[in-house]
Amino acid sequence: QVQLVESGGGLVQPGGSLRLSCVVSGFTSGDYKIVWFRQAPGKEREGVSCIGSSDDSTYYTDSVKGRFTISRDNAKNTVYLQMNSLEPEDTAVYYCYLRYWSGFGYRERWGQGTQVTVSS
């Protein structure tokens, strides 16, 4: 079964950095998109960054542009989110979302989430 496992969250001071990882298991590389979402207390889940398998195009929500970088390592079935210049407003649970082609249609998976806390 396809599963996603996020890691790399933690507690950092404002201005600090973290790198989140999303490791996909049970999946043979093919057509996919991975989106990093985050959800802060009392707020709806929002998309942060996105990357696809067909090319290297990426997307970032306005609030993280210039600070976050999404990348992938297909050999490791891993997508990363490098987060620099972190702000308290970045505090949230970060989730990895996968949409992929199964051979019969597109399917979706969510990771369990990893907590990012930015506080002095």
Side-chain angles (χ1 to χ4, degrees), residues 4-114:
L4 281 65
V5 179
E6 302 102 326
S7 63
L11 174 63
V12 297
Q13 294 184 329
S17 298
L18 287 172
R19 188 181 74 164
L20 306 184
S21 298
C22 176
V23 180
V24 182
S25 62
F27 174 71
T28 301
S29 295
D31 183 24
Y32 70 87
K33 292 183 183 295
I34 285 183
V35 184
W36 284 101
F37 286 84
R38 67 184 181 187
Q39 187 166 23
K43 294 186 177 181
E44 295 184 358
R45 190 170 298 184
E46 66 170 344
V48 177
S49 186
C50 177
I51 191 168
S53 61
S54 61
D55 57 38
D56 292 326
S57 62
T58 57
Y59 164 83
Y60 301 94
T61 192
D62 287 343
S63 63
V64 308
K65 287 180 179 177
R67 300 188 296 118
F68 290 11
T69 303
I70 191 170
S71 62
R72 65 172 178 246
D73 185 338
N74 287 335
K76 298 180 179 180
N77 280 334
T78 301
V79 172
Y80 304 97
L81 185 66
Q82 178 67 45
M83 306 185 297
N84 299 324
S85 301
L86 284 163
E87 305 168 353
E89 292 75 18
D90 297 316
T91 296
V93 177
Y94 284 71
Y95 297 90
C96 185
Y97 163 86
L98 169 70
R99 184 174 188 263
Y100 67 99
W101 179 254
S102 70
F104 301 96
Y106 284 103
R107 296 184 178 181
E108 300 174 325
R109 291 288 189 274
W110 288 90
Q112 83 287 352
T114 184

